[in-house]
Amino acid sequence: MTFEEKLKRLEEINGFLKDPATGLDKAIELYEEGAKIKKDLEQSLENVERRIEKVITGENEPVKTEPFQLPVF
Amino acid sequence: MNKYNDNFTDGFLPLEIIEREKERPLSVTEASRTVKRYVHDEIGTLSVLGEISSARPNSSGHVYFDLKDSNATIGAVVWRSYTSTLKHVRDGALVVATGTFDIYEKTGKLTFIVTSIKEAGEGGVKKKLEERKRYYESLGWFDPSIKKRLPDTISSIAIVTSATGAVIHDMLDVTGRRAPSIKITLYPSPVQGENAGEIIAARIRQANAQGGYDVIIVARGGGSQEDLMPYSTDPVVQAIHESQTPVISAVGHESDWSLSDYVADVRAGTPSIAAELVTATMLKRREAFRTIIESINSAMNYKTNIATMRLKSSGDIETLLRRKAENMYNSVAMAGQGLDSFMAIKRDAARGKLSTLKVEIKANAEAIFGNTKMKFSSVSKELEALSPYAVLSRGYSMVTDHNGKVVKNALDVKGGDHIRIKTGAGDFGAVVEI
């Protein structure tokens, strides 16, 4: 699932949870599914290691990169 | 073939004849030659401002090219003999070309036969810049209609700027804070100086060739108009215009401008604003994500609360039942108490009655007893009256024989008998005399 699909699924789950007709058993099942998606998304949104690279080749050469670190002031 | 061809061998028909012979279709040659004559003779020499593009020398030494602006293209040629004019024919040059129009019969193509070319735009930096701006504007390169939208999802960006200094620092700071998941590739370039424009342009092209970026940011901090010049050079403007990847120009401060701002798909006032722009979606996602998670949690809480309340209300039934039971117990207790008090009242009443009864009995008994006593005393008095001793006390005496037997007849005694005479007060013995 893409991010948008996952978010959409979460919205669906939210809709079901808000529906008074959804029983507690079903709600718990949906909630658990939501929790899994949440963990997934959190992984991609929040807990990512930043990827910053710098091109080390000339402007007319094939691109080669290496991790870029800001010079410490 | 028609009859007029014999009369007008070059195929040109004067307008009066065309007017007169309206019903008759012209041959292609007639039409072409008529237009050709009018274009050449009536319009004559013209000067046209435009950009040279697609310059292509042919084998015979003539140079064909296009003159363009934003809306139209004219095919043009400089004959090989016009050597001083030829050297001005280079792609991208904004020129004023002077010449005449002609139609090449075989193809029907309208061609501008250029005899002289003057570079358009001269003077100071600013004037040059303005002229260049007008020129690119005339090409339609600044048209909002050709601007590419930034993609909804931006997960990888290329930044063309200096690897040192505040700009990249600020941009990494902003992106890191708002959307740490975005991948950033720095394409280092000088940001001022002689060759800066060409290197910046090459980096933009390089990033395009490399691919995989959702957006390219061309960034530079503030500076003087001259410092910012590289961002208004033809190579940079062209590289941005040709970029397949959307380009954000973030050059100088909000008040500065460079042509890169105009030709780019998006202009950001400062590099930090550019960083905010590219992280907006990701930030929105994070917010949307957080909102939905919050909503889910509250929905779930609500559900569980409802469930708990139901459980509680079943607990309430228990309480209610217990209360009812207590009430019943109390009622019973009260009933018991009532009964007790009722019994007490009854008991007291009984006691009262009993005591009354006792009193009555006592009274009756006493009454009975009293009568008896009285009767008894009167009987005793009667008995006393009947006693012989009572008679004796009145002066009578009683004689008893030696056996103690009362002598009631004088014959019962004989002389010499010892008798006892009993008076009311004491007795004495005597001997009978006959």
Side-chain angles (χ1 to χ4, degrees), chain B residues 320-334:
Chain B
L320 192 72
L321 283 174
R322 194 173 290 144
R323 232 175 249 163
K324 277 209 170 151
E326 276 169 11
N327 286 347
M328 279 168 78
Y329 176 80
N330 287 342
S331 302
V332 169
M334 270 167 72

Side-chain angles (χ1 to χ4, degrees), chain A residues 34-72:
Chain A
K36 270 186 204 135
I37 299 173
K38 179 200 167 197
K39 207 173 154 193
D40 251 30
L41 291 181
E42 239 164 15
Q43 208 75 37
S44 69
L45 279 175
E46 317 282 348
N47 310 324
V48 286
E49 203 171 312
R50 293 196 72 189
R51 289 169 301 163
I52 305 170
E53 307 219 306
K54 176 189 166 187
V55 175
I56 52 167
T57 42
E59 67 270 17
N60 296 315
E61 296 164 18
V63 170
K64 272 189 198 155
T65 63
E66 65 177 24
F68 176 65
Q69 294 244 302
L70 273 177
V72 181

Side-chain angles (χ1 to χ4, degrees), chain A residues 14 22 31 46 53 58 61, chain B residues 184 186 206 286 295 297 303:
Chain A
N14 189 33
T22 308
Y31 187 75
E46 317 282 348
E53 307 219 306
E61 296 164 18
Chain B
I184 294 168
L186 170 66
Q206 194 180 28
R286 284 171 94 187
S295 181
N297 279 334
K303 264 229 179 313

